[in-house]
Amino acid sequence: MQDVTAVQWPLLRRVIFRFTAIYLGFYLSFLQWMGNLPIVSTFTELYNEVEKWLVEWGNRTIFHVKDVLVPMGGSGDTSYGYAQLCFFALASILGTVIWSIFDRRKNYDKAYYWLMVILRYYIAMIAFTYGFIKVFGFQMSFPSLSQLATPLGDFLPMRFSWLFIGYSTPYQFFSGAAEVLVGILLLYRRTAVLGAFLAVGVFLNVAVLNLCYDIPVKLFSIHMFVFSNILLLADAKRLLNFFVFNKPAPPSPSFALPEKWMRIGRIVLKIAFVAIFALVPFYSMYQSLHQVNVVSPANKPITTGMFEVVSFEAGGRMNEDSLRWKDIVFEDYNGGSILTTDTIFRQRYNRAYFAYVTDSLKQNISFKKRSGDSLSLFTLQYSMPDTNQLLLKGKINNDSLKVVLKRRRRNFQLAERQFHWLSEDNR
């Protein structure tokens, strides 16, 4: 690697670098990367507690995003997420002021180079993580029977977009492969600029989807788009010379590691990074795909399908018209949904979702809200005179229930995965 000659940076560039370095230090947080390691996890928990206290204190005294912050879980755009963003920005501004007062250096070429290396590997890690999930088709799944039976207008925009991508396995593979390619290109200095170009396009598409379909990872996807552009800015002069001014573009600057052990360490760290964030996720997704393929629903006592309610005899609260079951779906997995407004179930998109466990010896079926629940909502006896009929009877709380179900031969055109090279009209 070649060394560069130190040139004094303009004041504005030095200030921007200081702010960027501090902000990335907060956002990337190396402790979060290695939080699962036994020793590091202790420091991670302490760091999280300190950060949480500071964010909540800042929100109470300065930001006032919301009186009570909702922690981040399935959504990255909660009130805590916005308060955390405000805290990172404010802390970075204060840190920049302090840094600028006490640091009189006029050049940060070496520090800037290594900061971009860290950012490059962070983006590669994220690209591998999300890319492999899509390549193996695990992030967005094909619409289930329950979802196919749900009117289109009942879906929220996020679920609609999820089904749009999950419907087409090749499209999901394509989008995942693009992210994996970003990760591969960013691993090497010679292809890093090309990887940054591709990353900008990939993460811009993700950010626009999140913004336009109200998907709750807006802040994260926008950050990834901005970070990818920061990588490109590192080579802005060279890129402008090549693409705009039609001038020779010199090679990007780099810094030599002075000691042999440093050079060996760099190689070891790169191999470890590839193993942990590329090979292990790939193997894990492959194993998961294999397990999904070997699971066969043939042994299930209740066959998969959609059943319409032929007869519904109930007493007590179950006799209310709004609580009556209109149809019931049993999915390939041990779960399904019912067309009812009964809130004893998990309501989603005007259908009541459930998980179930069957006992073929006692011929009963236990309904649960979620598959991980230890307690059942209720248990019903079942019988199947044939594969097209299902009888359920028992009690829900203190209400008696007897339901006669008949398999409905419902063909959904969307489930046919139609494709035509020659299309004579709009269908």
Side-chain angles (χ1 to χ4, degrees):
M1 291 187 286
Q2 73 181 63
D3 291 311
V4 296
T5 303
V7 178
Q8 180 173 319
W9 284 23
L11 176 61
L12 179 60
R13 187 183 180 192
R14 278 177 275 156
V15 171
I16 292 175
F17 168 78
R18 292 162 185 161
F19 175 85
T20 304
I22 296 173
Y23 188 88
L24 290 177
F26 278 117
Y27 196 90
L28 306 190
S29 180
F30 292 104
L31 287 174
Q32 301 292 353
W33 293 24
M34 302 174 288
N36 294 326
L37 298 178
I39 299 177
V40 180
S41 61
T42 304
F43 295 97
T44 300
E45 292 173 4
L46 178 61
Y47 175 86
N48 289 337
E49 288 300 318
V50 172
E51 180 189 286
K52 180 181 177 183
W53 184 87
L54 289 172
V55 169
E56 291 180 344
W57 175 83
N59 181 69
R60 288 193 306 270
T61 58
I62 305 172
F63 312 133
H64 304 294
V65 175
K66 198 174 181 181
D67 291 338
V68 179
L69 297 179
V70 177
M72 290 188 290
S75 168
D77 297 333
T78 64
S79 52
Y80 182 90
Y82 279 92
Q84 183 189 57
L85 176 66
C86 293
F87 168 72
F88 286 172
L90 179 59
S92 299
I93 292 173
L94 294 177
T96 301
V97 172
I98 296 171
W99 189 350
S100 299
I101 292 174
F102 292 98
D103 190 354
R104 299 300 180 182
R105 280 180 294 178
K106 305 297 184 181
N107 182 283
Y108 291 100
D109 282 341
K110 186 173 292 188
Y112 183 48
Y113 172 81
W114 289 112
L115 181 64
M116 291 303 100
V117 170
I118 293 171
L119 183 60
R120 180 156 55 92
Y121 275 81
Y122 174 79
I123 296 175
M125 179 188 69
I126 298 301
F128 283 135
T129 300
Y130 284 92
F132 285 128
I133 297 176
K134 292 186 181 74
V135 164
F136 287 95
F138 286 129
Q139 186 170 11
M140 295 88 168
S141 56
F142 188 83
S144 64
L145 273 175
S146 297
Q147 291 167 332
L148 290 171
T150 303
L152 181 64
D154 286 339
F155 285 117
L156 292 173
M158 173 186 171
R159 185 57 49 191
F160 179 66
S161 68
W162 235 243
L163 299 178
F164 150 69
I165 298 174
Y167 165 80
S168 175
T169 301
Y171 179 78
Q172 185 171 183
F173 177 88
F174 168 78
S175 59
E179 292 179 348
V180 171
L181 183 58
V182 166
I184 294 173
L185 293 174
L186 290 177
L187 290 179
Y188 305 98
R189 293 188 304 273
R190 292 185 178 182
T191 57
V193 176
L194 180 59
F197 263 119
L198 184 58
V200 168
V202 166
F203 290 118
L204 175 61
N205 178 61
V206 174
V208 171
L209 278 173
N210 293 343
L211 291 168
C212 297
Y213 286 88
D214 194 31
I215 301 173
V217 255
K218 304 175 189 70
L219 292 179
F220 179 70
S221 58
I222 291 173
H223 272 86
M224 295 306 299
F225 171 67
V226 172
F227 291 168
S228 302
N229 277 283
I230 290 175
L231 282 184
L232 281 183
L233 285 174
D235 290 279
K237 186 175 181 180
R238 298 172 58 246
L239 294 174
L240 286 172
N241 283 338
F242 183 82
F243 287 105
V244 180
F245 301 128
N246 195 27
K247 294 180 179 179
S252 59
S254 57
F255 293 88
L257 295 173
E259 302 292 339
K260 182 178 180 181
W261 68 268
M262 293 181 179
R263 294 190 290 272
I264 296 175
R266 181 181 66 84
I267 296 173
V268 171
L269 287 175
K270 175 173 283 192
I271 294 173
F273 180 92
V274 172
I276 295 172
F277 297 111
L279 298 182
V280 171
F282 177 86
Y283 181 74
S284 176
M285 292 296 104
Y286 175 79
Q287 289 291 97
S288 299
L289 182 65
H290 179 70
Q291 292 173 4
V292 169
N293 290 335
V294 298
V295 173
S296 173
N299 296 326
K300 291 173 57 178
I302 297 180
T303 56
T304 299
M306 185 174 184
F307 294 81
E308 63 178 326
V309 177
V310 177
S311 173
F312 188 88
E313 301 176 15
R317 65 181 284 278
M318 291 298 297
N319 199 35
E320 297 179 20
D321 185 64
S322 62
L323 301 182
R324 296 176 67 86
W325 298 1
K326 277 73 173 179
D327 64 52
I328 183 168
V329 170
F330 291 97
E331 302 285 1
D332 289 336
Y333 55 91
N334 284 349
S337 67
I338 304 170
L339 184 55
T340 176
T341 60
D342 195 345
T343 54
I344 193 175
F345 300 101
R346 183 166 51 96
Q347 288 286 336
R348 295 193 74 189
Y349 313 113
N350 293 326
R351 290 191 70 89
Y353 280 77
F354 62 86
Y356 69 92
V357 177
T358 54
D359 188 331
S360 55
L361 294 178
K362 296 180 180 180
Q363 284 203 307
N364 63 30
I365 175 171
S366 299
F367 288 78
K368 302 180 178 182
K369 265 195 174 183
R370 291 177 174 82
S371 58
D373 293 350
S374 57
L375 298 177
S376 302
L377 297 172
F378 55 87
T379 301
L380 302 176
Q381 296 295 128
Y382 74 86
S383 60
M384 295 191 71
D386 54 57
T387 57
N388 293 320
Q389 292 189 70
L390 176 63
L391 280 66
L392 301 175
K393 63 179 180 178
K395 285 191 173 183
I396 298 180
N397 296 330
N398 294 321
D399 299 338
S400 60
L401 181 68
K402 183 179 179 182
V403 185
V404 179
L405 304 170
K406 183 178 180 181
R407 183 182 295 278
R408 185 180 179 187
R409 302 294 180 183
R410 178 72 166 89
N411 295 321
F412 296 97
Q413 291 191 69
L414 188 62
E416 297 174 6
R417 301 182 186 241
Q418 297 182 3
F419 176 81
H420 303 86
W421 283 111
L422 179 62
S423 297
E424 301 289 10
D425 54 28
N426 294 323
R427 293 173 291 114

